[in-house]
Amino acid sequence: MKARVFSNSCLQGTYYKLIFLPPVRVNIIPGQFVMIRVCAADSLSDPLLSRPFSIHRQALDGSIEIIYKVVGKGTDLLSHLRKGDYIEFLGPLGNGFPLMSIPPPSSPYKGGARGGESLFSDEVIIVAGGIGVAPMLSLIEAIRASGADNNIKVFLGGRGKEDLLCVDELKKIANEVVLTTNDGSAGIKGYVTDALHTCLLNGHGQQTRTTVYSCGPTPMLKKILELTEHASINTYVSLESVMACGIGLCMGCVVKKKDNSGYFLVCRNGPVFDGKDIEV
Amino acid sequence: MKTDISTNIAGISLRNPVMLASGTAGYGEDISKYCDLNRVGAIIVKGIALKPTNGNPPVRICETPSGMLNAIGLPNIGVDSFIKDKVPFLRKFDTRVIVNIFGSTIEDYGEVASRFNGVEGVDGLEVNISCPNVKEGGIAFGTDLEATRLVVRTVRGSTTLPIIIKLSPNVTDIASFARVCEEEGADALSVINTLLGMSIDTETWRPRLGNITGGLSGPAIRPVALRMVWQVCNAVKIPVIGMGGIVTSNDAVEFFLAGASGVAVGTANFINPAASLEIITGLMAYLEARGLNNITEIIGKVRVAF
Ligand SMILES: Cc1cc2nc3c(=O)[nH]c(=O)nc-3n(C[C@H](O)[C@H](O)[C@H](O)COP(=O)(O)OP(=O)(O)OC[C@H]3O[C@@H](n4cnc5c(N)ncnc54)[C@H](O)[C@@H]3O)c2cc1C
Ligand SMILES: Cc1cc2nc3c(=O)[nH]c(=O)nc-3n(C[C@H](O)[C@H](O)[C@H](O)COP(=O)(O)O)c2cc1C
Ligand code: FES
């Protein structure tokens, strides 16, 4: 689908926000993603493939927001788009975050988005690393919109201060926001997973029914799953993977199944997975 | 007179000569949400073997200039569940279904092929002897003339369906492989599979693919594919399905001019799952604009004498 760019602006450092208007309104579940191709010219073949991005938010008029970090050719081209330009996009794709702590009895990976359940946990812990914060704001908004007043605690980590995005917005809707940076330029110095560890050691997730939602670099997710598995806390992670198609055609975007029976496709079976099902 | 792009390849009559290439359209389900399968000439499904396989560990793909490398490693659900669970879905569409098969031994190829005898909804077999990403099978057969001969002979003896042999471009003289296939009774040839390639991350000094090497596809390989299609068409009489980097209808026209009777669209499906439909529309427009009534009027019509 072709979509018109509504705005594209630098948030801070190498982070940008793109807002585009799809030709038809689409329904979105937090955690779903879109594939975007910059169509500067129809014959453009380098970069060839579309790029996956989490949906950051959907505005009331149906426009879709993504936030992205410029890391290579595709995101660099994206950062040069201006209002009125067009992009090619596919989406929303994949399964979003389930808004609950108890997984449904049937296998959750049969396709179709899994959100919309009303069984909330008492406490929600959100862990985001860098650009991994992208889907989290709309996740919290969805939890709040459902009328639940869970305690929502956010851990947001980055290399430095400039890698911490959406801090003010998060502070407005979460009960508590803990910031960490590796260089100590903001919040607690260290890894976001260290802060989570301390929190869990202090008894969080013991008495209450807790759900952890996380998104960020793979090593971070790996560490989180170690911590929460140890504490027996339900954890959902949004995975990244190299993707060629985003719609289940190439079979390139795999993550290992925990039971060693093969692989899931991140685009079709994820990108959000129950930590118990996968080996990152 | 209405422009006619219907065609017949290997005894399979096709609404139009544009097919979906194996491994880039799965077993049809996912792509059918974006691409009306009733409108494509045929779908060539992802490779099927006797037993289910998981494929290679990640990283399985990486982008390269105007192309991509893949080392998917032929994950497949096995012939039995394919026939039971996937063929009924494919039968719902008014299109041709060509099943891509592979094996790790010559006997495997024969066995898989024979399982499709009498299966309603399967119109032909494409025999993959050219996958660069699996240790046994695939390319080992497609880069050795005698092994190629034995695979084709075995499959020929095991099936009543039309057989299309998918050739490897990773050989010095592709024409000699084409001739062997023709001699052994192949009905058509698919040219080409991916080209063996490699990419290294200069930050980490690691290969970008888990499998170290992978198969190159996309616009980057189009000139190589076109050259090979042309060489093969000059070497044999059986029809050739051309593929490799086709994104637009103009790309497809190049392959027809070189001698291909049909084309398959692969990597372009990843960028635009409806690419094949746009190519079909563009092909009609190309012929109409030149007052040509039939696709045969451009097949093999490259003007080589200057
Ligand atoms: C489901 C999903 C959701 C995503 N959501 C977002 C999002 O909301 N915002 C966002 O900015 N990104 C997101 N990503 C990552 C994003 O797709 C990549 O950053 C993008 O594809 C890079 O494209 P490029 O052409 O700029 O870089 P490339 O030229 O492809 O790569 C340039 C270099 O950057 C490295 N690289 C690639 N991806 C990353 C990365 N994520 N972080 C650091 N280095 C990287 C590559 O290894 C390479 O060395 C998501 C990925 C997935 C799978
Ligand atoms: C991700 C991927 C998977 C593929 N899987 C198969 C396969 O299972 N069997 C096969 O014969 N060819 C397979 N191919 C090769 C394609 O069918 C085609 O021959 C090749 O990609 C060249 O065409 P293209 O440049 O249009 O993609 C695969 C290609 C890609 C990119
Ligand atoms: S990105 Fe192609 S199958 Fe997931």
Side-chain angles (χ1 to χ4, degrees):
Chain A
M1 267 193 284
K2 262 197 164 43
R4 202 167 56 86
V5 173
F6 189 73
S7 79
N8 188 30
S9 54
C10 183
L11 289 173
Q12 61 198 53
T14 52
Y15 296 92
Y16 287 74
K17 179 192 274 189
L18 173 75
I19 308 179
F20 62 95
L21 194 63
V24 288
R25 196 189 164 85
V26 290
N27 291 320
I28 285 158
I29 292 164
Q32 287 186 302
F33 69 102
V34 289
M35 292 294 286
I36 293 185
R37 187 160 189 258
V38 186
C39 46
D42 280 347
S43 60
L44 189 84
S45 67
D46 190 29
L48 182 69
L49 304 169
S50 305
R51 301 288 191 260
F53 297 97
S54 297
I55 295 167
H56 176 52
R57 261 170 140 166
Q58 186 178 34
L60 287 175
D61 66 356
S63 60
I64 296 176
E65 294 180 17
I66 63 160
I67 52 177
Y68 61 97
K69 179 180 179 155
V70 174
V71 296
K73 220 183 257 177
T75 44
D76 182 53
L77 270 174
L78 206 55
S79 72
H80 289 98
L81 287 178
R82 279 184 289 176
K83 184 179 172 132
D85 288 345
Y86 282 87
I87 53 162
E88 276 297 334
F89 93 102
L90 279 182
L93 304 169
N95 298 313
F97 289 104
L99 301 183
M100 53 191 288
S101 62
I102 301 172
S106 59
S107 163
Y109 298 124
K110 290 266 162 66
R114 282 173 286 143
E117 296 281 339
S118 56
L119 257 178
F120 290 82
S121 50
D122 309 314
E123 184 182 48
V124 170
I125 296 180
I126 286 177
V127 193
I131 196 68
V133 74
M136 294 311 189
L137 209 55
S138 53
L139 172 64
I140 301 176
E141 282 169 355
I143 295 172
R144 290 290 186 234
S146 71
D149 59 349
N150 324 50
N151 188 55
I152 301 178
K153 186 168 174 138
V154 177
F155 291 89
L156 175 61
R159 240 170 273 167
K161 192 173 189 291
E162 65 283 357
D163 298 305
L164 303 178
L165 302 170
C166 309
V167 178
D168 294 337
E169 288 107 311
L170 288 170
K171 281 185 173 159
K172 269 187 214 136
I173 49 173
N175 297 71
E176 193 184 344
V177 179
V178 178
L179 303 177
T180 68
T181 52
N182 298 84
D183 64 4
S185 55
I188 308 167
K189 186 169 163 42
Y191 287 105
V192 71
T193 45
D194 297 338
L196 175 69
H197 193 189
T198 311
C199 164
L200 295 179
L201 285 178
N202 290 339
H204 269 269
Q206 296 294 313
Q207 272 76 47
T208 51
R209 217 167 49 164
T210 301
T211 303
V212 171
Y213 297 102
S214 57
C215 182
T218 305
M220 179 194 105
L221 299 179
K222 202 177 160 76
K223 182 75 197 172
I224 291 171
L225 288 178
E226 275 169 34
L227 293 172
T228 58
E229 187 182 342
H230 188 72
S232 309
I233 298 172
N234 277 328
T235 305
Y236 295 96
V237 294
S238 177
L239 295 187
E240 280 196 7
S241 166
V242 186
M243 290 187 176
C245 70
I247 53 174
L249 305 180
C250 71
M251 308 189 97
C253 60
V254 285
V255 58
K256 208 165 171 197
K257 292 182 184 172
K258 191 87 158 201
D259 63 7
N260 263 320
S261 67
Y263 300 96
F264 285 117
L265 293 183
V266 173
C267 72
R268 191 208 283 147
N269 308 122
V272 176
F273 289 93
D274 186 326
K276 285 197 287 292
D277 298 336
I278 52 163
E279 189 77 57
V280 291
Chain B
M1 202 178 126
K2 198 178 170 323
T3 307
D4 184 9
I5 57 169
S6 67
T7 185
N8 187 302
I9 295 172
I12 309 168
S13 64
L14 308 172
R15 162 179 299 109
N16 64 61
V18 181
M19 298 165 239
L20 303 176
S22 177
T24 64
Y27 304 131
E29 287 135 327
D30 293 289
I31 199 166
S32 68
K33 290 174 212 143
Y34 303 91
C35 172
D36 181 1
L37 296 182
N38 296 305
R39 290 180 55 205
V40 298
I43 171 170
I44 310 177
V45 299
K46 176 86 186 153
I48 296 291
L50 218 44
K51 294 269 164 335
T53 42
N54 287 332
N56 287 332
V59 176
R60 287 183 173 184
I61 44 181
C62 81
E63 190 173 286
T64 54
S66 298
M68 61 177 278
L69 287 169
N70 88 77
I72 309 292
L74 296 174
N76 99 100
I77 59 171
V79 66
D80 293 332
S81 35
F82 174 73
I83 293 174
K84 190 165 134 296
D85 304 330
K86 305 295 173 181
V87 175
F89 173 81
L90 290 164
R91 257 202 307 260
K92 286 195 253 172
F93 297 93
D94 181 18
T95 189
R96 299 301 178 191
V97 174
I98 297 171
V99 178
N100 181 285
I101 60 167
F102 69 97
S104 48
T105 64
I106 291 183
E107 295 72 41
D108 274 5
Y109 277 95
E111 178 68 27
V112 186
S114 69
R115 297 287 180 92
F116 288 98
N117 287 325
V119 174
E120 194 197 328
V122 173
D123 300 284
L125 301 178
E126 181 183 63
V127 185
N128 183 2
I129 53 167
S130 43
C131 178
N133 299 322
V134 285
K135 284 206 184 71
E136 337 166 274
I139 202 165
F141 298 103
T143 54
D144 181 299
L145 277 175
E146 276 324 293
T148 297
R149 185 182 294 285
L150 286 177
V151 173
V152 181
R153 186 178 294 169
T154 305
V155 173
R156 180 70 292 164
S158 311
T159 182
T160 49
L161 287 167
I163 59 171
I164 303 161
I165 313 300
K166 186 154 183 178
L167 298 183
S168 173
N170 302 300
V171 295
T172 318
D173 177 23
I174 195 165
S176 56
F177 286 84
R179 278 188 217 101
V180 163
C181 295
E182 185 177 46
E183 281 162 24
E184 294 298 331
D187 299 289
L189 300 170
S190 280
V191 182
I192 60 175
N193 208 320
T194 53
L195 283 150
L196 197 56
M198 182 170 175
S199 177
I200 298 173
D201 186 328
T202 53
E203 288 300 317
T204 61
W205 297 13
R206 290 177 197 278
R208 285 186 192 271
L209 291 176
N211 190 51
I212 305 176
T213 59
L216 185 63
S217 66
I221 70 168
R222 195 187 310 136
V224 178
L226 191 69
R227 182 266 294 177
M228 290 190 155
V229 165
W230 184 67
Q231 287 178 324
V232 169
C233 289
N234 283 325
V236 296
K237 293 201 176 60
I238 51 176
V240 169
I241 303 168
M243 64 195 78
I246 298 176
V247 179
T248 67
S249 54
N250 239 38
D251 304 339
V253 168
E254 273 197 90
F255 282 82
F256 288 115
L257 290 171
S261 305
V263 294
V265 179
T267 302
N269 295 321
F270 301 157
I271 306 159
N272 171 11
S276 54
L277 304 183
E278 289 170 18
I279 290 170
I280 294 163
T281 311
L283 197 55
M284 293 284 278
Y286 179 90
L287 296 175
E288 277 161 16
R290 285 158 186 78
L292 303 171
N293 296 321
N294 201 295
I295 185 77
T296 52
E297 293 180 68
I298 63 168
I299 293 175
K301 295 296 161 61
V302 56
R303 294 171 178 156
V304 283
F306 286 93

